[in-house]
Amino acid sequence: MAQPRKMDASVAINGAVPSIRWPSARAAYRRLYRWIALTDVLCVEAALVAAYWIRFGIRVPTDDFLLLLAAAPVFVLAIFAAAKLYQGFRLAPAEEFRRIVFAVSASLGVIMLDSFWLQANLSRAWVATSWAFALLFTLVARRLWHARFGRLRERGVLTFPTLIVGENEEASRLRSIMDRPSFGFRAIGVVATTDVGVDLGLPVLGSIDDLSEILASSGAECVFVAASAVEMGDMKAIAKAVRLAGAEVRITATLPQVLASRLTVQPLGGLTALSLEPVRLSGGQVVAKFTFDILLASALLVLLSPLLAVIALAVKVSSSGPILYRQTRVGLRGRPFTMLKFRTMRAGSDLDVAQLRQRHQLDDVMFKLKDDPRVTRVGKVLRRFSLDELPQLFNVVRGDMSLVGPRPALPEEVAKYEDWHLDRLEVPPGITGLWQISGRADLSFDECVQLDLFYIDNWSLTYELFILGKTIPVLFSRRGAY
């Protein structure tokens, strides 16, 4: 094993990072989260008032209800803070969504109890409407805040000045990831370990023994450790240094990408172990998912029936051929079914696939052409907003598909699958899924499968709701839709 480079830490720091004081991302986050806390309170208060007016008519609320509104901010702030929603930079989007659902539900539960003690004359319909509005308003507000975060990160305001511990391949991957401002880290230097061999293109500021001095001199607010580059004794020294400096510390784990909700930390004889919860859909969960799919799909069919009629008429009058396009797809455990879509191409265009593949030199498992000459004028509009997929709600009601799941595959695609691709057939295909909210047609086939498998490995009803919620803005963004 290569020996660590010996150097005077103070010389290295002064030479490589001369008296630079980086903008404090932690201070910027603290300022922003004060405003986010105010936004959360306003969202819940607005939901309570909106539900009150819907239930009792637009009028000045009673004194009891005004007392309830005055007490609500205390409950909201306490519960949201307990759910660590004001440390969102440490949470993945799906985990933050899960905690918001919990926090809103808990807040409304406490407010409901408070209304009982205040003897406010409020109904169960008011409680249900308040919860729905509070969840909607809070999620929309958080999305707007995250858009703001993204713009600030691009400007370097919300990026942590970060030290990378290690100089191996894993550290090199960390370095390349941090080149993207959207992740919120700015690599400013390297802390050397015994595992030397890869030049990260950053100044080496010292060794792990010098970490306390490096943190004080460099202005770093985060230490990112390549776990494969350090030993147990090194981790103890790193933990002490970051604790004394009050810095963030992140440690890579040799695990596949999983949701945080599946991980728990367990001490084990002086070591720290990560427990990964297996994903197994119990009978109750299967029934819950199936019931949820049927009820929501049925409700959407009723609500969207005028739109479906307009689209059907537009397809009929714009080109010759049937209104609906029927195609055999492969469903759960390889079972074929007939998938429904509004027709977006001229009739008989399936026969042109082989010729188009050859002309455009496409050999991917999936066939998707950005400027497909077979698409009609009405079809282009339908595809742009994925309106052509609305008839698949009938497939959900029939049990062939789910609202959320892997992309429904063609039989000829499945015939070309490698063994690991077949795992995506373990659950019913979906109208939307991770592939839909992560790039749609801009993704390669392998990228789609990897997203499908991640969804299968991390399934939960909360994650299902998260994907459904993300689908709506993606449809309006039109990214990857053709």
Side-chain angles (χ1 to χ4, degrees), residues 451-462:
L451 289 169
D452 289 338
L453 297 183
F454 178 83
Y455 162 77
I456 294 170
D457 289 341
N458 295 277
W459 184 91
S460 71
L461 278 177
T462 307

Side-chain angles (χ1 to χ4, degrees), residues 53-274:
W53 284 344
I54 289 174
R55 177 65 180 84
F56 302 105
I58 298 178
R59 63 183 185 183
V60 177
T62 62
D63 292 341
D64 291 339
F65 188 76
L66 291 175
L67 285 174
L68 191 69
L69 290 178
V74 177
F75 307 138
V76 172
L77 292 176
I79 293 172
F80 275 59
K84 297 185 178 180
L85 283 168
Y86 302 126
Q87 302 175 27
F89 57 87
R90 297 192 178 103
L91 301 175
E95 177 64 13
E96 184 182 39
F97 174 85
R98 186 181 70 84
R99 295 190 184 204
I100 288 173
V101 173
F102 163 78
V104 168
S105 302
S107 298
L108 265 294
V110 173
I111 290 170
M112 183 178 64
L113 290 175
D114 191 43
S115 69
F116 171 78
W117 291 109
L118 291 174
Q119 297 182 346
N121 184 23
L122 300 171
S123 66
R124 285 173 291 183
W126 170 81
V127 173
T129 308
S130 297
W131 176 84
F133 277 143
L135 186 59
L136 175 63
F137 295 165
T138 304
L139 289 173
V140 170
R142 286 278 173 152
R143 180 167 181 82
L144 294 175
W145 275 113
H146 281 299
R148 172 68 173 162
F149 284 1
R151 292 191 295 270
L152 290 173
R153 288 193 186 109
E154 291 292 337
R155 290 162 44 190
V157 176
L158 293 181
T159 53
F160 287 98
T162 302
L163 300 173
I164 297 178
V165 179
E167 295 175 274
N168 60 2
E169 291 294 338
E170 186 175 12
S172 179
R173 288 196 297 273
L174 276 175
R175 171 73 172 92
S176 62
I177 289 171
M178 290 181 191
D179 285 338
R180 297 169 59 183
S182 58
F183 286 109
F185 300 97
R186 182 196 305 111
I188 62 172
V190 175
V191 178
T193 63
T194 55
D195 191 0
V196 179
V198 178
D199 182 8
L200 304 188
L202 294 168
V204 180
L205 304 183
S207 66
I208 291 175
D209 293 337
D210 308 315
L211 185 55
S212 294
E213 292 80 9
I214 296 171
L215 285 167
S217 302
S218 67
E221 290 188 310
C222 181
V223 175
F224 223 124
V225 183
S228 60
V230 298
E231 299 174 356
M232 184 175 178
D234 296 330
M235 284 305 309
K236 289 181 179 179
I238 293 169
K240 180 178 179 180
V242 296
R243 175 173 56 84
L244 295 175
E248 294 280 324
V249 62
R250 309 288 172 94
I251 306 167
T252 61
T254 53
L255 285 173
Q257 190 177 7
V258 296
L259 293 178
S261 57
R262 290 183 59 201
L263 290 174
T264 54
V265 179
Q266 295 181 336
L268 183 65
L271 298 175
T272 300
L274 291 177

Side-chain angles (χ1 to χ4, degrees), residues 26 114 186 273 279 294 301 310 321 362 374 393 434 446 456:
R26 183 176 297 173
D114 191 43
R186 182 196 305 111
V279 177
I294 297 296
L301 283 172
V310 170
L362 297 173
R374 301 172 297 165
L393 291 169
L434 274 185
D446 280 351
I456 294 170

Side-chain angles (χ1 to χ4, degrees), residues 411-473:
E412 54 266 31
E413 293 174 355
V414 175
K416 299 177 183 178
Y417 277 7
E418 299 175 18
D419 287 343
W420 69 281
H421 294 154
L422 294 171
D423 292 342
R424 69 195 299 271
L425 303 178
E426 292 179 5
V427 297
I431 296 178
T432 186
L434 274 185
W435 50 274
Q436 177 80 291
I437 66 174
S438 304
R440 302 162 82 180
D442 288 339
L443 301 174
S444 69
F445 173 70
D446 280 351
E447 287 173 329
C448 283
V449 175
Q450 287 165 0
L451 289 169
D452 289 338
L453 297 183
F454 178 83
Y455 162 77
I456 294 170
D457 289 341
N458 295 277
W459 184 91
S460 71
L461 278 177
T462 307
Y463 197 39
E464 200 107 325
L465 291 171
F466 170 76
I467 294 173
L468 286 171
K470 292 275 285 185
T471 298
I472 297 173

